[in-house]
mmCIF file of all heavy atoms in Angstrom:
data_model
loop_
_atom_site.group_PDB
_atom_site.id
_atom_site.type_symbol
_atom_site.label_atom_id
_atom_site.label_comp_id
_atom_site.label_asym_id
_atom_site.label_seq_id
_atom_site.Cartn_x
_atom_site.Cartn_y
_atom_site.Cartn_z
ATOM 1 N N PHE Z 1229 97.991 86.850 106.349
ATOM 2 C CA PHE Z 1229 99.431 86.801 106.125
ATOM 3 C C PHE Z 1229 100.004 88.186 106.360
ATOM 4 O O PHE Z 1229 99.299 89.195 106.271
ATOM 5 C CB PHE Z 1229 99.762 86.318 104.706
ATOM 6 C CG PHE Z 1229 99.479 87.320 103.623
ATOM 7 C CD1 PHE Z 1229 100.499 88.092 103.080
ATOM 8 C CD2 PHE Z 1229 98.190 87.510 103.148
ATOM 9 C CE1 PHE Z 1229 100.235 89.033 102.095
ATOM 10 C CE2 PHE Z 1229 97.926 88.440 102.159
ATOM 11 C CZ PHE Z 1229 98.948 89.206 101.628
ATOM 12 N N GLU Z 1230 101.279 88.241 106.690
ATOM 13 C CA GLU Z 1230 101.961 89.498 106.942
ATOM 14 C C GLU Z 1230 102.918 89.778 105.788
ATOM 15 O O GLU Z 1230 103.990 89.187 105.711
ATOM 16 C CB GLU Z 1230 102.727 89.441 108.271
ATOM 17 C CG GLU Z 1230 101.848 89.423 109.501
ATOM 18 C CD GLU Z 1230 101.076 90.721 109.685
ATOM 19 O OE1 GLU Z 1230 101.580 91.782 109.250
ATOM 20 O OE2 GLU Z 1230 99.966 90.671 110.244
ATOM 21 N N PRO Z 1231 102.562 90.664 104.872
ATOM 22 C CA PRO Z 1231 103.478 90.959 103.758
ATOM 23 C C PRO Z 1231 104.720 91.674 104.255
ATOM 24 O O PRO Z 1231 104.653 92.508 105.167
ATOM 25 C CB PRO Z 1231 102.633 91.860 102.852
ATOM 26 C CG PRO Z 1231 101.653 92.510 103.774
ATOM 27 C CD PRO Z 1231 101.340 91.486 104.830
ATOM 28 N N ASP Z 1232 105.856 91.344 103.652
ATOM 29 C CA ASP Z 1232 107.107 92.016 103.980
ATOM 30 C C ASP Z 1232 107.186 93.283 103.149
ATOM 31 O O ASP Z 1232 107.469 93.240 101.957
ATOM 32 C CB ASP Z 1232 108.288 91.078 103.683
ATOM 33 C CG ASP Z 1232 109.626 91.720 104.027
ATOM 34 O OD1 ASP Z 1232 109.628 92.847 104.569
ATOM 35 O OD2 ASP Z 1232 110.668 91.098 103.752
ATOM 36 N N LEU Z 1233 106.945 94.425 103.779
ATOM 37 C CA LEU Z 1233 106.901 95.700 103.069
ATOM 38 C C LEU Z 1233 108.115 96.570 103.376
ATOM 39 O O LEU Z 1233 108.147 97.752 103.015
ATOM 40 C CB LEU Z 1233 105.620 96.458 103.441
ATOM 41 C CG LEU Z 1233 104.297 95.712 103.199
ATOM 42 C CD1 LEU Z 1233 103.115 96.567 103.621
ATOM 43 C CD2 LEU Z 1233 104.163 95.300 101.743
ATOM 44 N N ALA Z 1234 109.116 95.996 104.017
ATOM 45 C CA ALA Z 1234 110.298 96.778 104.401
ATOM 46 C C ALA Z 1234 111.219 96.987 103.203
ATOM 47 O O ALA Z 1234 111.347 96.127 102.334
ATOM 48 C CB ALA Z 1234 111.063 96.053 105.518
ATOM 49 N N GLY Z 1235 111.862 98.153 103.179
ATOM 50 C CA GLY Z 1235 112.897 98.421 102.192
ATOM 51 C C GLY Z 1235 112.404 98.600 100.775
ATOM 52 O O GLY Z 1235 113.193 98.460 99.830
ATOM 53 N N LEU Z 1236 111.142 98.927 100.571
ATOM 54 C CA LEU Z 1236 110.598 99.105 99.231
ATOM 55 C C LEU Z 1236 110.612 100.577 98.839
ATOM 56 O O LEU Z 1236 110.717 101.464 99.690
ATOM 57 C CB LEU Z 1236 109.175 98.545 99.160
ATOM 58 C CG LEU Z 1236 109.038 97.047 99.451
ATOM 59 C CD1 LEU Z 1236 107.574 96.629 99.448
ATOM 60 C CD2 LEU Z 1236 109.819 96.230 98.436
ATOM 61 N N GLY Z 1237 110.469 100.842 97.548
ATOM 62 C CA GLY Z 1237 110.578 102.195 97.037
ATOM 63 C C GLY Z 1237 109.305 103.002 97.128
ATOM 64 O O GLY Z 1237 109.074 103.875 96.278
ATOM 65 N N LEU Z 1238 108.491 102.749 98.107
ATOM 66 C CA LEU Z 1238 107.285 103.526 98.373
ATOM 67 C C LEU Z 1238 107.211 103.801 99.867
ATOM 68 O O LEU Z 1238 107.689 102.993 100.686
ATOM 69 C CB LEU Z 1238 106.028 102.769 97.928
ATOM 70 C CG LEU Z 1238 105.765 102.705 96.420
ATOM 71 C CD1 LEU Z 1238 104.686 101.683 96.116
ATOM 72 C CD2 LEU Z 1238 105.351 104.073 95.882
ATOM 73 N N ALA Z 1239 106.609 104.899 100.227
ATOM 74 C CA ALA Z 1239 106.515 105.271 101.640
ATOM 75 C C ALA Z 1239 105.747 104.204 102.418
ATOM 76 O O ALA Z 1239 104.685 103.752 101.973
ATOM 77 C CB ALA Z 1239 105.816 106.618 101.776
ATOM 78 N N PRO Z 1240 106.275 103.793 103.576
ATOM 79 C CA PRO Z 1240 105.567 102.780 104.382
ATOM 80 C C PRO Z 1240 104.129 103.177 104.706
ATOM 81 O O PRO Z 1240 103.248 102.319 104.759
ATOM 82 C CB PRO Z 1240 106.432 102.688 105.646
ATOM 83 C CG PRO Z 1240 107.792 103.152 105.226
ATOM 84 C CD PRO Z 1240 107.547 104.201 104.181
ATOM 85 N N GLU Z 1241 103.896 104.483 104.918
ATOM 86 C CA GLU Z 1241 102.535 104.928 105.248
ATOM 87 C C GLU Z 1241 101.575 104.665 104.087
ATOM 88 O O GLU Z 1241 100.432 104.257 104.291
ATOM 89 C CB GLU Z 1241 102.533 106.422 105.589
ATOM 90 C CG GLU Z 1241 103.405 106.810 106.771
ATOM 91 C CD GLU Z 1241 104.877 106.904 106.399
ATOM 92 O OE1 GLU Z 1241 105.200 106.985 105.187
ATOM 93 O OE2 GLU Z 1241 105.723 106.866 107.312
ATOM 94 N N LEU Z 1242 102.062 104.891 102.859
ATOM 95 C CA LEU Z 1242 101.226 104.620 101.688
ATOM 96 C C LEU Z 1242 101.022 103.124 101.505
ATOM 97 O O LEU Z 1242 99.901 102.667 101.249
ATOM 98 C CB LEU Z 1242 101.866 105.219 100.437
ATOM 99 C CG LEU Z 1242 101.178 104.890 99.104
ATOM 100 C CD1 LEU Z 1242 99.743 105.397 99.092
ATOM 101 C CD2 LEU Z 1242 101.961 105.461 97.935
ATOM 102 N N LEU Z 1243 102.091 102.352 101.630
ATOM 103 C CA LEU Z 1243 101.980 100.901 101.466
ATOM 104 C C LEU Z 1243 100.947 100.316 102.412
ATOM 105 O O LEU Z 1243 100.175 99.430 102.038
ATOM 106 C CB LEU Z 1243 103.344 100.245 101.708
ATOM 107 C CG LEU Z 1243 104.386 100.426 100.603
ATOM 108 C CD1 LEU Z 1243 105.749 99.981 101.093
ATOM 109 C CD2 LEU Z 1243 103.985 99.640 99.357
ATOM 110 N N ALA Z 1244 100.921 100.825 103.631
ATOM 111 C CA ALA Z 1244 99.984 100.291 104.619
ATOM 112 C C ALA Z 1244 98.537 100.593 104.253
ATOM 113 O O ALA Z 1244 97.626 99.870 104.671
ATOM 114 C CB ALA Z 1244 100.303 100.866 105.999
ATOM 115 N N ARG Z 1245 98.306 101.647 103.449
ATOM 116 C CA ARG Z 1245 96.940 102.044 103.098
ATOM 117 C C ARG Z 1245 96.470 101.430 101.789
ATOM 118 O O ARG Z 1245 95.336 101.670 101.369
ATOM 119 C CB ARG Z 1245 96.840 103.572 103.010
ATOM 120 C CG ARG Z 1245 97.092 104.306 104.305
ATOM 121 C CD ARG Z 1245 96.574 105.729 104.241
ATOM 122 N NE ARG Z 1245 97.149 106.486 103.138
ATOM 123 C CZ ARG Z 1245 98.275 107.189 103.198
ATOM 124 N NH1 ARG Z 1245 98.963 107.211 104.334
ATOM 125 N NH2 ARG Z 1245 98.705 107.876 102.155
ATOM 126 N N LEU Z 1246 97.325 100.656 101.139
ATOM 127 C CA LEU Z 1246 96.941 100.062 99.864
ATOM 128 C C LEU Z 1246 96.049 98.843 100.073
ATOM 129 O O LEU Z 1246 96.088 98.179 101.110
ATOM 130 C CB LEU Z 1246 98.182 99.669 99.079
ATOM 131 C CG LEU Z 1246 99.054 100.819 98.572
ATOM 132 C CD1 LEU Z 1246 100.255 100.277 97.819
ATOM 133 C CD2 LEU Z 1246 98.258 101.791 97.708
ATOM 134 N N ASP Z 1247 95.276 98.549 99.039
ATOM 135 C CA ASP Z 1247 94.351 97.419 99.062
ATOM 136 C C ASP Z 1247 95.099 96.103 99.288
ATOM 137 O O ASP Z 1247 96.267 95.965 98.875
ATOM 138 C CB ASP Z 1247 93.613 97.355 97.721
ATOM 139 C CG ASP Z 1247 92.428 96.429 97.749
ATOM 140 O OD1 ASP Z 1247 92.619 95.225 97.483
ATOM 141 O OD2 ASP Z 1247 91.323 96.898 98.042
ATOM 142 N N PRO Z 1248 94.460 95.127 99.930
ATOM 143 C CA PRO Z 1248 95.091 93.805 100.062
ATOM 144 C C PRO Z 1248 95.571 93.221 98.744
ATOM 145 O O PRO Z 1248 96.530 92.443 98.714
ATOM 146 C CB PRO Z 1248 93.970 92.952 100.673
ATOM 147 C CG PRO Z 1248 93.149 93.920 101.455
ATOM 148 C CD PRO Z 1248 93.184 95.196 100.670
ATOM 149 N N MET Z 1249 94.934 93.594 97.610
ATOM 150 C CA MET Z 1249 95.389 93.140 96.308
ATOM 151 C C MET Z 1249 96.853 93.515 96.088
ATOM 152 O O MET Z 1249 97.660 92.703 95.602
ATOM 153 C CB MET Z 1249 94.531 93.759 95.208
ATOM 154 C CG MET Z 1249 95.035 93.516 93.789
ATOM 155 S SD MET Z 1249 93.998 94.271 92.511
ATOM 156 C CE MET Z 1249 94.207 96.014 92.841
ATOM 157 N N ALA Z 1250 97.234 94.743 96.439
ATOM 158 C CA ALA Z 1250 98.614 95.185 96.274
ATOM 159 C C ALA Z 1250 99.543 94.430 97.208
ATOM 160 O O ALA Z 1250 100.682 94.108 96.852
ATOM 161 C CB ALA Z 1250 98.714 96.691 96.515
ATOM 162 N N HIS Z 1251 99.085 94.117 98.414
ATOM 163 C CA HIS Z 1251 99.922 93.379 99.363
ATOM 164 C C HIS Z 1251 100.181 91.952 98.880
ATOM 165 O O HIS Z 1251 101.291 91.426 99.029
ATOM 166 C CB HIS Z 1251 99.257 93.368 100.740
ATOM 167 C CG HIS Z 1251 99.195 94.720 101.375
ATOM 168 N ND1 HIS Z 1251 98.393 95.001 102.466
ATOM 169 C CD2 HIS Z 1251 99.821 95.887 101.061
ATOM 170 C CE1 HIS Z 1251 98.542 96.264 102.812
ATOM 171 N NE2 HIS Z 1251 99.394 96.832 101.972
ATOM 172 N N VAL Z 1252 99.168 91.319 98.291
ATOM 173 C CA VAL Z 1252 99.367 89.981 97.719
ATOM 174 C C VAL Z 1252 100.410 90.049 96.607
ATOM 175 O O VAL Z 1252 101.322 89.216 96.530
ATOM 176 C CB VAL Z 1252 98.030 89.419 97.177
ATOM 177 C CG1 VAL Z 1252 98.275 88.125 96.398
ATOM 178 C CG2 VAL Z 1252 97.062 89.159 98.322
ATOM 179 N N ALA Z 1253 100.292 91.049 95.731
ATOM 180 C CA ALA Z 1253 101.238 91.191 94.622
ATOM 181 C C ALA Z 1253 102.655 91.397 95.134
ATOM 182 O O ALA Z 1253 103.606 90.759 94.656
ATOM 183 C CB ALA Z 1253 100.818 92.355 93.729
ATOM 184 N N LEU Z 1254 102.836 92.285 96.091
ATOM 185 C CA LEU Z 1254 104.167 92.564 96.629
ATOM 186 C C LEU Z 1254 104.769 91.331 97.290
ATOM 187 O O LEU Z 1254 105.956 91.024 97.127
ATOM 188 C CB LEU Z 1254 104.087 93.716 97.627
ATOM 189 C CG LEU Z 1254 103.851 95.101 97.031
ATOM 190 C CD1 LEU Z 1254 103.445 96.088 98.123
ATOM 191 C CD2 LEU Z 1254 105.101 95.602 96.319
ATOM 192 N N HIS Z 1255 103.957 90.614 98.040
ATOM 193 C CA HIS Z 1255 104.438 89.432 98.768
ATOM 194 C C HIS Z 1255 104.917 88.349 97.802
ATOM 195 O O HIS Z 1255 106.015 87.802 97.955
ATOM 196 C CB HIS Z 1255 103.301 88.896 99.643
ATOM 197 C CG HIS Z 1255 103.703 87.771 100.547
ATOM 198 N ND1 HIS Z 1255 104.235 87.972 101.801
ATOM 199 C CD2 HIS Z 1255 103.647 86.424 100.381
ATOM 200 C CE1 HIS Z 1255 104.496 86.802 102.360
ATOM 201 N NE2 HIS Z 1255 104.146 85.844 101.519
ATOM 202 N N ALA Z 1256 104.097 88.038 96.796
ATOM 203 C CA ALA Z 1256 104.446 86.966 95.860
ATOM 204 C C ALA Z 1256 105.559 87.395 94.909
ATOM 205 O O ALA Z 1256 106.465 86.610 94.595
ATOM 206 C CB ALA Z 1256 103.209 86.536 95.077
#
């Protein structure tokens, strides 16, 4: 799945390096 990480209060570079666990949390 492709998490929507745009417009969040964290740097995109950091968000991209986070564990898939964080991406699942952000997406849901």
Side-chain angles (χ1 to χ4, degrees):
F1229 73 100
E1230 290 294 331
D1232 181 4
L1233 304 179
L1236 299 176
L1238 285 167
E1241 300 79 17
L1242 174 60
L1243 286 168
R1245 296 197 303 271
L1246 292 180
D1247 193 272
M1249 172 180 65
H1251 293 166
V1252 172
L1254 288 166
H1255 186 87

